[in-house]
Every structure is written in C-alpha cells, then in structure tokens.
Amino acid sequence: MNKRKIAWVIDSSAFVNTMLKEHPDVYIIPLNIHFGQQQFIDGVDLTSEQLYERIRNGTDSAKTSQPSAGEFVELYTKLSKEYESIIAIHVSNGLSGTMSSSLNGAQIAKVHVECVDSLSLSAGITGLVERGFHLEGQGLSFEEIASSLRIEATKFRNYILIGNLTQLYKGGRLSSAQFYLGSLLKIKPIIQINNKGELQELDKVRSHKKAIQYLIQKVIASVQSEGVELVYIMHANAIEQAKDLKNAIQLELPSLQVSIGEISSSLAVHAGEETLAVLWYVK
C-alpha cells in the first residue's frame, strides 16, 4: 500500500474552519474540559452553548487539561502506517503542556514527528496549517516545511479583548478587589500572546466602544506598516459583535480580507464569554 505524504496533527485549541474540517489529512486531538469531577472532551461531548451555560450558572470553575501522551502514542502509531511523515502544530508551549505530551507520545511510539510550537492558539494555528499546505504543494520536504513554519510563527500578531471578567475571577486570575473595581469601572483588559508564546497584559481600556476602536487601530497600523492580507476575528459567543467589528475594519480597509470564527470551548474556558480577538500574520 502506498503511503500518503504528510499527516497534519493539530489540537482542539485551533480554529477548525471548513477547509481544515474537511481536509482528509488533518487530524485533531482534543483537549479536556473539567467542571469539578466531571470531564468533557473539547468539541466532542460538550457544545459551546452547553459550556457557556455551565460557566454562567455553574458553581464549579471550569478548567482544562492537555491530552495525555498515550493519546498521542495511539494516534502517531496509526498515522505512521498510513503516511510518510507527520507534522504536528500545537497551542503555544508557553500556555499549555499539549506540545510536551505530543513530543513524549512521539518518543514512546518511536515515530518521527516534526512538532511545531505555534507560539499562538486558535486562528494562529489555522494560519500555520494553511501555510503548510501551500509549502507542501511547492514540493518541500516535511522537515523544510516544519522549519519554515517555525519562522512563520514569529510573524504572528494578536490583540485580545476580554469580554467578561467573571470567568477570569472564577479561574483565579483576578483577585476579588480587581474583579470588583474592573466591573465597577467597566474596564476592558486587552491582552496579547507575545513572541515567546506567553500571555501578557497590554492595556486597560475604559468602555467597550473605546476597546473596539483600540482593536481597529491596531489592525490599521499593522496593515500600513507590515503588510497584511488576512485578519481573523475570533469571538466567544459574540457573533454580532464580531460582524460589527469586521464591518468597521473593512470600512477603513476595504481590500483587506477578514474572516470570522468562534474560539474553541477549551479557550473560552479561560477567556470567558463575549471575548473578541483580532489575529493575523505579517509578511
């Protein structure tokens, strides 16, 4: 039996758009979501609607965990029989232990896997996979593709507007005083994944309207100075806000391609409902 060329492995923190969902060589390994003693598999047995309902009304704070090395062993063993090579692109190693599990799984399975740290999440992973498809079509080896994607990962730009402070508070990322003052003053935190793949706080903006203008101006500045072809707007159960943001960006930049998607449940657990993010790669 002739083996297929490259298997692409991503985790469920990625934005799985229609192309990735329907691509025969893309495999998704899910993260886990926990509410107290209950465990759910991201994208499998917990819908986004059920997640937000639990976050709003549940007493237990939601948490996530990475896939086990054993899950990767099983997947890589299977794929090694069907493909010549495997490239795995994962959520930033600075945010999750998923990549470590992936590397351990490949080592245990004795399978050569090129693991790429996306230094990002969500549409950041999506963009790298799509770039990888392009390089594969040019005939590059899987080692050359992985090397190129590691460079591409450093060109990621992102601005994340936290929509609801409640989940940050429940998850222990805000003190009672910070939560109270932030809610009272209607402060909107803007955070970013830096070039080390770590979260950092950028700014605190008073009012949602000003925060949206902040995102728009960041997109405009990058398009004008760095060259951008595609911007992703990712949202957490805030589709109408995402559409309004897209319209506002394209009013200023009519030729810019803007794509809207919903963040995965495993990310919504941390960011909270109504979070909005703009993400893109520069040339």
Side-chain angles (χ1 to χ4, degrees):
M1 182 182 73
N2 291 329
K3 291 185 176 183
R4 285 181 279 179
K5 188 178 179 184
I6 299 176
W8 297 86
V9 175
I10 58 176
D11 58 73
S12 63
S13 72
F15 167 45
V16 183
N17 60 15
T18 301
M19 184 174 73
L20 296 192
K21 190 178 297 183
E22 296 178 352
H23 198 291
D25 300 323
V26 172
Y27 298 84
I28 305 167
I29 194 153
L31 279 70
N32 304 301
I33 299 172
H34 306 264
F35 285 93
Q37 298 301 311
Q38 288 185 290
Q39 177 175 308
F40 301 90
I41 302 173
D42 185 16
V44 176
D45 53 14
L46 184 70
T47 66
S48 58
E49 290 81 6
Q50 291 170 331
L51 172 77
Y52 294 123
E53 180 68 24
R54 279 178 168 268
I55 288 176
R56 284 193 295 266
N57 302 319
T59 55
D60 292 321
S61 61
K63 298 179 180 178
T64 59
S65 63
Q66 71 245 30
S68 68
E71 292 174 80
F72 282 105
V73 170
E74 183 178 352
L75 177 61
Y76 291 152
T77 300
K78 173 182 177 292
L79 294 180
S80 67
K81 297 173 183 177
E82 302 173 7
Y83 289 86
E84 294 177 6
S85 51
I86 304 168
I87 296 177
I89 304 176
H90 293 303
V91 57
S92 171
N93 198 40
L95 302 175
S96 168
T98 300
M99 187 166 173
S100 294
S101 287
S102 179
L103 289 166
N104 289 338
Q107 186 175 24
I108 294 168
K110 295 181 171 58
V111 174
H112 182 192
V113 179
E114 286 286 344
C115 286
V116 176
D117 185 348
S118 70
L119 303 177
S120 64
L121 41 67
S122 190
I125 299 172
T126 312
L128 288 183
V129 177
E130 292 176 342
R131 174 65 177 164
F133 291 160
H134 175 73
L135 296 174
E136 183 181 5
Q138 292 185 330
L140 275 68
S141 70
F142 84 114
E143 292 97 340
E144 291 172 326
I145 293 172
S147 178
S148 178
L149 294 181
R150 292 185 184 104
I151 296 171
E152 188 74 12
T154 65
K155 301 176 182 179
F156 182 63
R157 304 288 184 266
N158 64 99
Y159 296 88
I160 305 164
L161 167 60
I162 299 298
N164 191 322
L165 298 181
T166 303
Q167 185 56 20
L168 290 181
Y169 172 59
K170 284 185 176 181
R173 292 171 179 81
L174 284 180
S175 67
S176 297
Q178 288 172 322
F179 175 63
Y180 174 75
L181 287 173
S183 300
L184 182 67
L185 299 174
K186 297 183 179 179
I187 288 174
K188 299 294 182 180
I190 308 282
I191 63 175
Q192 183 180 62
I193 304 169
N194 62 26
N195 57 13
K196 295 179 181 178
E198 300 168 342
L199 279 177
Q200 65 180 29
E201 184 177 323
L202 279 184
D203 229 324
K204 293 187 179 78
V205 183
R206 292 283 295 273
S207 87
H208 181 76
K209 183 177 180 180
K210 288 182 180 178
I212 292 297
Q213 284 301 313
Y214 183 104
L215 299 184
I216 294 169
Q217 291 305 314
K218 291 298 183 183
V219 173
I220 292 172
S222 184
V223 169
Q224 292 176 343
S225 65
E226 298 178 296
V228 180
E229 294 180 352
L230 168 65
V231 168
Y232 294 95
I233 297 175
M234 303 304 298
H235 69 91
N237 200 29
I239 182 62
E240 293 306 320
Q241 292 184 44
K243 288 179 180 177
D244 289 344
L245 178 56
K246 175 180 178 177
N247 291 338
I249 290 172
Q250 292 192 314
L251 187 64
E252 299 290 337
L253 303 164
S255 62
L256 180 66
Q257 184 182 351
V258 181
S259 177
I260 294 176
E262 187 169 11
I263 65 174
S264 70
S265 296
S266 58
L267 298 182
V269 161
H270 301 287
E273 197 168 8
E274 296 188 357
T275 288
L276 284 171
V278 285
L279 313 93
W280 65 90
Y281 284 92
V282 299
K283 293 181 180 178

